[in-house]
Amino acid sequence: MNQIVWLSFLNKKLRAITLAAALFCLFIPFGTQGQTNPTILVLGDSLSAEYGLARGTGWVRLLEEQLKIESSPWNIFNASISGETSSGGLSRLPKLLEQKKPGIVLLELGANDALRGLSIQESENNLRKMIRLSKQSGAKVLLFGMQIPPNYGQTYTKQFQNLFPELAQQEKVQLLPFFLQGVASDPALFQADRMHPNEKAQTILYKNVWGAMAPYQSILKSK
């Protein structure tokens, strides 16, 4: 009799353990999904922060809308700040990577470095560190190429233009050759300050970015 009671007790215990294990496995996917929600981090300056534009009309919002059209599970966190330099971006990036855990980083910085007369070497060092920090966190990087008017001097202008493709090649990341392609040469696409693209230009900027994101199309459709 004692043996029968013991076997009955053991069977109940095993069933309880099996049920607990099944419930544990059932809830794992939901917990993991919440922790790995795919994010695109945009780290830029006024060109990405909707400076002078109505809220929700910038190229970042257009990119968000395209992702929805594509039924992509990815979302966008726009950490762009007007006036941001590569130095400022570098100081903010570690915390953003830790908090947002992005799978893709869109790096649009450097123009304000030139406007403030920062050395090419300083800009290069900052951008390189941001690229490496992003890659170390597991994120893919799309570097936005920038150019400046020739009145900054032929040597500096050329060095600044070459900075982005050289960095992208050395660090093996994707490059958008010139973010303002199709906009820079058309005065009608700028605000009154003649520095910031207007609302009409945002579609062109978005298309430039979306085209450069072609290598990511497969992962944008999945988590």
Side-chain angles (χ1 to χ4, degrees):
M1 178 65 70
N2 289 339
Q3 184 176 5
I4 294 175
V5 171
W6 169 249
L7 289 175
S8 177
F9 171 80
L10 184 60
N11 286 334
K12 289 180 180 179
K13 202 72 172 175
L14 288 173
R15 284 198 297 269
I17 293 173
T18 302
L19 178 58
L23 289 172
F24 178 76
C25 292
L26 180 63
F27 283 104
I28 282 179
F30 294 97
T32 303
Q33 183 177 3
Q35 295 172 359
T36 60
N37 192 24
T39 298
I40 297 171
L41 173 65
V42 181
L43 187 60
D45 50 35
S46 57
L47 299 179
S48 301
E50 294 187 332
Y51 177 88
L53 303 174
R55 296 303 89 180
T57 61
W59 72 265
V60 177
R61 178 57 62 87
L62 296 177
L63 179 59
E64 287 180 325
E65 292 175 357
Q66 181 62 42
L67 292 174
K68 291 179 181 178
I69 292 173
E70 299 283 331
S71 297
S72 173
W74 288 67
N75 58 63
I76 298 178
F77 184 83
N78 191 357
S80 302
I81 298 177
S82 294
E84 186 69 291
T85 61
S86 63
S87 177
L90 177 59
S91 68
R92 293 194 296 126
L93 182 58
K95 188 173 182 179
L96 287 167
L97 293 175
E98 180 182 357
Q99 291 181 339
K100 304 303 176 182
K101 295 179 172 53
I104 299 174
V105 174
L106 305 186
L107 187 53
E108 183 271 302
L109 287 173
N112 287 320
D113 291 17
L115 294 176
R116 300 184 184 191
L118 270 68
S119 69
I120 296 294
Q121 188 62 53
E122 185 175 353
S123 298
E124 178 183 347
N125 290 341
N126 291 336
L127 290 170
R128 190 184 302 278
K129 288 177 182 177
M130 282 188 279
I131 291 172
R132 291 183 175 179
L133 284 172
S134 299
K135 291 172 63 178
Q136 289 169 6
S137 76
K140 298 182 181 299
V141 179
L142 173 60
L143 178 65
F144 288 35
M146 300 300 296
Q147 297 178 20
I148 55 176
N151 57 294
Y152 284 83
Q154 185 175 359
T155 300
Y156 186 88
T157 300
K158 188 65 175 179
Q159 289 178 341
F160 185 81
Q161 180 178 346
N162 291 339
L163 168 62
F164 300 91
E166 289 175 357
L167 263 179
Q169 182 179 19
Q170 292 167 4
E171 298 299 327
K172 295 180 174 56
V173 296
Q174 296 297 324
L175 173 71
L176 168 52
F178 183 32
F179 180 37
L180 296 180
Q181 182 68 41
V183 174
S185 60
D186 189 349
L189 295 176
F190 284 85
Q191 299 177 38
D193 62 10
R194 298 185 180 182
M195 293 180 60
H196 295 92
N198 58 27
E199 189 172 331
K200 293 180 180 179
Q202 300 306 308
T203 299
I204 300 174
L205 298 179
Y206 145 70
K207 289 181 178 178
N208 290 343
V209 175
W210 184 246
M213 293 179 70
Y216 306 144
Q217 292 303 313
S218 60
I219 65 172
L220 288 176
K221 296 178 181 178
S222 63
K223 296 186 180 184

